[in-house]
Structure formats: structure tokens, C-alpha cells
Amino acid sequence: MKVKKAQTIAAAALAVMSCVGLSACGGSDSNADGKVEVTVWHNSTAGDGKKYWEDAAAAYEKQNPNVDIKIEAIQNEDMDGKLQTALQDPNSAPDIFLARGGQKLADVVEAGQAMDLSDKVSDTVKTQMASSLSAYTIDGKLYAVPQAVQPGGMWYSKDLFAKAGITQTPKTWDEFKAAIAKLKAAGITPIAVGGKDAWPAAHWWYWFALRECSADVFAKAQKSKDFSDDCWSRTGKDVEDLLGLDAFNEGFLTTPAQQGANSSAGLLANHMAAMELMGGWEAGMVRDLTPDKKDLPDLGFFAFPTVEGGEGDPSAVMGGVDAMAVGSWAPSEAVDFLNFIAEKGQQEQYANAFSTIPASKEAQSVVTNDALKQELAVYDQASSVSLWLDTVFGQNIGNALNEGVVNLMAGKGSSADIIKGVESAAAKG
């Protein structure tokens, strides 16, 4: 295995070196106008988010007329696969690209495909984004610049809760089950799930694991892939118990997560379901799927409920940090562009465009959306913030985990099968 990794690194290094002196070497070339060309891959394919990247590129080009920023929007569910292929060759790879963190980023770093940004980022990045940098630091080196902090939890419709007679958001699992019963009695679908894309369904398993397992056991599993503790069995049972409540939207296994009004996010946006368990991008996603493309006035947020007997810290949260990495072959202008969009003004524009919490502390005062303010309060009080488990484990193990959870929900597998699948994927490396 070590030989294969060494060969991968050597191949990547050779590919980068082969670009020196050539007239064509991917997005970092000079174009026909003699400008330095920088390609950027992001995952916002519509609405204000897509426009933000276009406007940011235009603003940077105005200050730097010798640079041409090429923005390419790629559907989120397609990003990992396309990026993994593109990064094998600097001729096809973007100069700046979405970084997921965890093992996914570690694999890119190990392959020699990401630039060490430790001494290249601005003082603004180092100070205003200090609390987010650890998510993209490997062996003491920084490999991405954060854009937004996106802790997950329960997003809900205040209007539908009120219609069902729910006066307080649930804090415990028993209270959560009671809320589900009230919603069903009122003829309201309690929970939207985009099972077609696998990861939204798997998030339920992730969160139960965070509540069931102690911090030490949870952290140990992320490093050693050791799932022998009883908490992992309880996690699967929690998912099975949830399924027994019949709380999900009809056809949830074939429902997409974010694409169109009939997606799980669309069901919440159009008051066809009362809740969705999702990451911090939800407010912006829901906004883009409302009929008027405006913030959902009654959108609220609350922390994932505690589980009786669970050994996890009840204030622990799970989430991610949106960030952008730079290819090891990229020109210095790529780093300069990331420093540019890290400044307060750009971070405020980013937050407004995506309806999210900016990574920059000094820009977080721009957040006025009630749901996002509730989310930020939960994040600020968290004892720890863990990355999504499929991100932590990387592509192969993460996919096996997500597939195992979906199979369980589809009645094609068991809780034990989830662990077996993860352990089998881990053994393959």
C-alpha cells in the first residue's frame, strides 16, 4: 500500500514538473490576451450563490486587470467524482476548488495535489478565521481557506409547528417523538429526507452516533475505524426506531436532496414537510426553492435532540466548514484571489448570497436571518464540532457508510451490516 501511495505522489509531482516551460498547462496558463488565467470550481449552480462567485471574480479582475478568473459551477452531487478525476492531471484540474476536509482533503494532500497555504494566506485569514482553520490543517500545514461555518441540526417550519400545536422545540428524543406524533395527527409530514442522494439519510446515523458515543469513542473510531463499542449498535437501533415512527416523506428513498421543489429541501421550503436534518447551507438552499426566492419567513433551527442513556456530550455538534483549496500547480494569483474574498466586505457578500454564517468573525454581524442566528448560538455553545463522518472517513469508507444506512432504511440491510461494510471498506484502504 505504501508503494502505491508513493507512486501516486511521484506521478502527481512529475505531472506538475512537466508543466514547467510548456505553453499549455491547465487553468494556470496565460490566455490569448496574455492574462494569467485562474480556474475556480464551486458547487453553487443557481441563484445568488452562483452570482456571488461571478461578481467576486469581476471585482478581483477590476483590481487586477492582468488576471482572468474562470468560474465553473458544478452540481454538488457531481463535484467529488469530477474533481477526483480532474486532479489526476494539471491540464484538466482547476486551480481553486471546493475542499471537503477530513480524509477527503488528506487524500488530495498526500497525492501532492494541494498547495501548502500556511505562509501564503493573509493576516485576515489567520486572525478572523482562526477558529475554522483547524478543519483544513494537516500535520501543522494549512491547505484551504474557509468561506463559511456550517453546523448541522434540525431546520423546521414555525408555521407548521404552530399548526400542530407544538409550542416549544424538542430538546430530548422523547419530546421529538411527541412532536412527530402531533404533526402526523395534524396531517403534516414530519420529516423530509432526500434519500436518493444517500448522505442526507446517513446524516441521521451520524447524529445518533454523536449522541450515543462518548467523545473519546467517537474520536477513536474516526482514526482507527474501531466500531466495537456498544454505542455503535445503539446508533443503528436508533435509526430503526425512527423508521418505525413513519415520519419521513412518502418515497423518501427516491427523493433528491436539493434539486427542485420536490426535493427534501423543497418540501420544507414549500411547507410540504415540517423538518429536515441538514447542514448549515439549508437556509440558503430553502430560500432558492421558495416560490419567490426569498428567505423562508418562518424557518427555524434547533439542535439535534439528546438521547436518553447516550454517552455523547449533548452540546456537541456536527457540521462542516466550506473552504477552497489551491492546486499545487496553480499560480500565485490563485492564492491572492482567496485572500481577496476573505476580506470582510467579500465575506459579508458571501454570507448574504448563500444565507449562511461567514467564516470571518468580523463579518458574522451581517447575519440577521433568525434561523441562522439560532444556528450560530448553538455553534457558539458547542463543546466540540465534528466533521461529517463521510468526510472524515474519505470517499471509499464514507460511501460504504452512506450506502449501508440507505440499505437499512430500505429494508435491505441491518444495523450490523453498516458496520461490516465500513470495516470492509477500511480493510481495503
Side-chain angles (χ1 to χ4, degrees):
M1 193 64 199
K2 290 182 179 179
V3 173
K4 289 183 178 179
K5 289 181 179 179
Q7 289 173 342
T8 301
I9 295 170
L14 179 61
V16 174
M17 291 173 62
S18 68
C19 290
V20 179
L22 297 181
S23 60
C25 189
S28 60
D29 296 328
S30 296
N31 59 24
D33 297 327
K35 296 182 178 181
V36 176
E37 189 174 278
V38 176
T39 56
V40 180
W41 281 17
H42 68 88
N43 65 342
S44 183
T45 57
D48 291 342
K50 184 173 185 292
K51 187 175 185 297
Y52 165 78
W53 284 107
E54 295 167 350
D55 289 348
Y60 180 81
E61 289 172 346
K62 185 175 182 180
Q63 294 184 18
N64 301 271
N66 64 311
V67 182
D68 182 11
I69 305 290
K70 288 185 61 178
I71 302 294
E72 296 185 32
I74 297 174
Q75 174 62 38
N76 182 66
E77 279 67 38
D78 297 334
M79 175 65 81
D80 286 357
K82 288 188 175 182
L83 186 60
Q84 191 174 41
T85 299
L87 291 179
Q88 303 305 311
D89 180 7
N91 287 294
S92 62
D95 297 305
I96 299 173
F97 51 89
L98 181 69
R100 302 286 193 186
Q103 188 60 43
K104 290 184 178 181
L105 176 62
D107 290 341
V108 172
V109 170
E110 189 171 18
Q113 297 162 341
M115 184 183 295
D116 176 5
L117 303 176
S118 306
D119 298 326
K120 297 179 174 63
V121 294
S122 65
D123 288 341
T124 296
V125 172
K126 294 176 181 178
T127 58
Q128 297 303 320
M129 299 179 175
S131 61
S132 305
L133 298 182
S134 61
Y136 292 93
T137 300
I138 299 175
D139 294 333
K141 298 178 180 179
L142 178 67
Y143 287 98
V145 176
Q147 306 300 313
V149 292
Q150 299 191 322
M154 300 303 309
W155 302 84
Y156 74 105
S157 163
K158 295 177 183 178
D159 289 351
L160 293 184
F161 266 43
K163 183 178 179 181
I166 303 170
T167 57
Q168 292 184 328
T169 55
K171 293 180 175 58
T172 68
W173 192 245
D174 284 342
E175 291 175 356
F176 190 81
K177 289 191 292 185
I180 288 175
K182 288 184 177 181
L183 288 164
K184 291 179 68 175
I188 299 167
T189 298
I191 302 170
V193 177
K196 181 180 180 181
D197 292 316
W199 58 266
H203 274 206
W204 285 96
W205 195 91
Y206 302 173
W207 276 97
F208 279 125
L210 187 66
R211 292 290 181 258
E212 289 284 12
C213 299
S214 70
D216 288 343
V217 170
F218 196 79
K220 180 181 178 182
Q222 295 182 38
K223 294 180 180 179
S224 65
K225 315 302 184 293
D226 180 357
F227 297 95
S228 60
D229 193 281
D230 289 344
C231 70
W232 299 107
S233 297
R234 297 198 302 271
T235 292
K237 185 179 183 303
D238 289 336
V239 175
E240 292 175 328
D241 290 346
L242 172 62
L243 285 171
L245 299 176
D246 191 27
F248 296 163
N249 52 293
E250 184 177 353
F252 74 92
L253 288 171
T254 58
T255 299
Q258 301 171 341
Q259 300 174 49
N262 292 321
S263 66
S264 55
L267 296 179
L268 180 59
N270 294 284
H271 294 101
M272 297 173 68
M275 294 180 281
E276 185 175 21
L277 175 62
M278 193 52 66
W281 53 83
E282 181 78 339
M285 185 60 60
V286 165
R287 177 199 59 196
D288 290 343
L289 292 172
T290 59
D292 60 5
K293 308 296 182 185
K294 294 182 179 179
D295 285 342
L296 190 67
D298 67 312
L299 184 64
F301 177 89
F302 62 91
F304 192 86
T306 60
V307 176
E308 185 178 0
E311 299 169 10
D313 189 313
S315 70
V317 301
M318 187 174 294
V321 178
D322 271 3
M324 303 299 284
V326 178
S328 54
W329 47 79
S332 60
E333 286 81 1
V335 180
D336 191 52
F337 177 66
L338 289 189
N339 285 330
F340 171 78
I341 61 174
E343 292 300 321
K344 181 183 178 183
Q346 281 292 324
Q347 272 277 285
E348 290 175 340
Q349 291 178 44
Y350 185 97
N352 287 328
F354 286 92
S355 193
T356 193
I357 300 172
S360 169
K361 284 287 186 181
E362 67 175 347
Q364 288 178 356
S365 60
V366 76
V367 176
T368 57
N369 179 291
D370 283 343
L372 288 176
K373 290 169 71 174
Q374 293 162 2
E375 179 194 25
L376 183 57
V378 170
Y379 176 75
D380 286 342
Q381 296 167 13
S383 62
S384 64
V385 181
S386 301
L387 288 174
W388 311 115
L389 289 184
D390 57 349
T391 298
V392 170
F393 292 144
Q395 192 87 356
N396 294 333
I397 300 175
N399 286 347
L401 172 57
N402 292 350
E403 182 180 350
V405 177
V406 170
N407 285 341
L408 171 66
M409 289 185 169
K412 297 178 180 178
S414 67
S415 174
D417 289 335
I418 296 173
I419 302 303
K420 289 178 183 178
V422 170
E423 291 176 337
S424 176
K428 294 176 183 178

